[in-house]
Amino acid sequence: MAQPHPKPTRRPANPCFSSGPCAKRPGWSLAALEGALLGRSHRAKDPKARLAEVIALSRSVLRMPEGWRLGIVPASDTGAVEMALWSLLGPRGVDVLAWESFSAEWANDITKQLRLPDVRLIQAPYGQLPDLARVDPARDCVFVWNGTTSGVRLPDAGWISAEREGLAICDATSAAFAMDLDWRKLDVVTWSWQKVLGGEAAHGMLALSPRAVERLESHSPAWPLPKIFRLTKGGRLIEGIFQGDTINTPSMLCVEDALDGLRWAEGIGGLPALVARSEANLAAVADWVAGQDRFAFLAERPETRSCTSICLKLVAPWFAALDEAIQARATKSLAARLEAEGAGLDVAPYRDAPPGLRLWGGATVETDDLRALLPWVDWAMDAVEAEFRPA
């Protein structure tokens, strides 16, 4: 074992590095919620105006093209994705790209719950992207932009045909507000408030291109749809959903918090500033990874490394030689030591992912906090190695 690292003396000002719900924006306090319209009906004029403001600010910050609809929907990003899958799929064959846990869940829903007859699953293991060249533009395509549990993102949308006949349905929950989305190549985009802007949970956002709206108004699914999935009535889009008239009752406290995050984003320079903050966080971790030999990025190609869900794997030979169960115990020990010291909270990898660390680097995380965390990782890893490395 190399010379142990000294115990650091400086801790992150904000040790929250969870990949969802994520850190609040810098300077956030409960005072940000003082204007919340609590105890009011979300159908009343002023609360509905707040909901419409969330939609308008989100469109503006994300630079969403004219003609797109954006609505607030139930059940976070999961609800938004499920609404899209159950409402839009069926008329064409479907290509499903899966390279981490959530994309695998969408594949499971499409094949085992919707039971569509013509589905091609295009897969890749953790750390890699699937063969994007296999995607058929005549078919619908379902994919994530950023693998939240693998730290592998799409470097661009060049693989999506501008002349596609099918719909491009994109789960962008850990990409929106931190990565440049090519709206020309997308037809459905979903995300939640609790990721890059650090909002509170339970609400999702569903963005639809004109092509997606055309599909909704021309296609009637062969299966029944529960109320919270219904986007059309009498063969026409329910426009109110995209103007702040939500399907179910939203939390006006969460709405106020979402507005606070959006106003902060707008105030610091909008999307370019948000992207720059996230990329700076990735760069800080990359500098640290390059200077040691126990961790490596789970993403095998640098251009696919996520700047939000930054996933690292343990590559020390002594660790690789351990039994899988002991590897899992060692990884839990590492995360527990960081939490006990108040240096890093919720940094364990996703339950299905390879052992290592998952550090959130979205726009609400200060790069200085990540830099303060990493010496603690070195120190905690020394203790884990002393405990688990075979004699």
Side-chain angles (χ1 to χ4, degrees):
M1 181 173 173
Q3 185 71 22
H5 295 82
K7 186 173 184 178
T9 57
R10 186 171 76 96
R11 289 174 171 81
N14 182 357
C16 295
F17 299 103
S18 163
S19 289
C22 302
K24 309 300 286 184
R25 57 127 174 120
W28 185 92
S29 73
L30 286 172
L33 307 181
E34 288 179 354
L37 298 177
L38 305 182
R40 297 289 310 278
S41 168
H42 60 295
R43 306 295 186 200
K45 178 182 177 182
D46 289 343
K48 187 174 176 179
R50 297 281 175 91
L51 291 161
E53 187 179 359
V54 170
I55 294 171
L57 275 177
S58 298
R59 291 180 60 94
S60 175
V61 174
L62 288 171
R63 302 175 173 182
M64 191 176 297
E66 289 296 323
W68 279 66
R69 276 31 172 242
L70 177 61
I72 299 167
V73 299
S76 194
D77 178 64
T78 300
V81 173
E82 297 286 14
M83 288 178 77
L85 300 184
W86 288 74
S87 299
L88 290 163
L89 296 184
R92 292 178 177 270
V94 185
D95 287 344
V96 187
L97 304 180
W99 68 88
E100 49 84 62
S101 303
F102 289 105
S103 50
E105 286 293 341
W106 309 145
N108 179 73
D109 281 356
I110 292 167
T111 57
K112 296 184 179 179
Q113 303 302 320
L114 290 174
R115 300 178 183 176
L116 296 180
D118 184 9
V119 179
R120 297 195 309 168
L121 181 56
I122 306 173
Q123 291 180 287
Y126 271 92
Q128 300 177 24
L129 282 175
D131 182 0
L132 303 177
R134 292 182 57 196
V135 173
D136 184 346
R139 301 164 65 84
D140 292 334
C141 184
V142 176
F143 58 96
V144 299
W145 191 277
N146 180 78
T148 308
T149 67
S150 70
V152 176
R153 64 170 160 179
L154 294 169
D156 55 52
W159 56 279
I160 303 174
S161 172
E163 287 77 41
R164 64 193 176 280
E165 300 171 50
L167 298 180
I169 301 173
C170 174
D171 172 359
T173 195
S174 55
F177 299 101
M179 303 174 196
D180 284 309
L181 303 175
D182 189 345
W183 295 95
R184 300 167 303 168
K185 298 293 189 73
L186 305 173
D187 295 295
V188 178
V189 181
T190 68
W191 66 90
S192 68
W193 296 351
Q194 69 204 54
K195 294 293 187 183
V196 176
L197 295 185
E200 293 304 297
H203 301 79
M205 301 296 287
L206 175 65
L208 302 173
S209 74
R211 295 180 73 246
V213 173
E214 182 182 2
R215 169 73 67 84
L216 282 169
E217 294 184 336
S218 62
H219 165 62
S220 295
W223 42 82
L225 290 177
K227 177 183 178 181
I228 60 169
F229 281 8
R230 293 176 205 155
L231 295 168
T232 60
K233 184 175 182 180
R236 303 295 297 174
L237 189 72
I238 303 174
E239 293 285 0
I241 294 172
F242 307 95
Q243 298 166 0
D245 194 3
T246 56
I247 297 172
N248 70 333
T249 305
S251 162
M252 296 310 297
L253 196 65
C254 291
V255 167
E256 199 67 25
D257 190 60
L259 283 171
D260 175 74
L262 286 162
R263 290 166 183 158
W264 168 77
E266 194 174 51
I268 66 170
L271 186 61
L274 298 171
V275 171
R277 287 177 63 89
S278 295
E279 292 292 348
N281 289 334
L282 172 60
V285 176
D287 287 345
W288 174 78
V289 168
Q292 52 77 57
D293 58 4
R294 296 189 289 193
F295 289 91
F297 284 98
L298 189 52
E300 295 181 2
R301 292 160 47 202
E303 67 271 22
T304 67
R305 292 175 185 166
S306 171
C307 63
T308 55
S309 52
I310 303 172
C311 295
L312 305 175
K313 60 183 177 180
L314 276 158
V315 295
W318 68 265
F319 182 86
L322 297 176
D323 176 85
E324 284 187 8
I326 300 177
Q327 287 183 347
R329 284 171 46 206
T331 303
K332 289 180 180 178
S333 176
L334 174 61
R337 290 173 190 276
L338 293 169
E339 182 168 346
E341 292 290 342
L345 307 178
D346 309 319
V347 298
Y350 193 71
R351 59 180 176 267
D352 297 333
L357 290 173
R358 182 170 61 155
L359 310 176
W360 183 253
T364 58
V365 173
E366 298 278 30
T367 302
D368 191 58
D369 283 339
L370 265 175
R371 291 196 182 106
L373 165 68
L374 297 171
W376 284 96
V377 175
D378 287 325
W379 171 81
M381 195 60 207
D382 288 343
V384 170
E385 184 172 351
E387 179 181 359
F388 289 95
R389 181 171 182 164

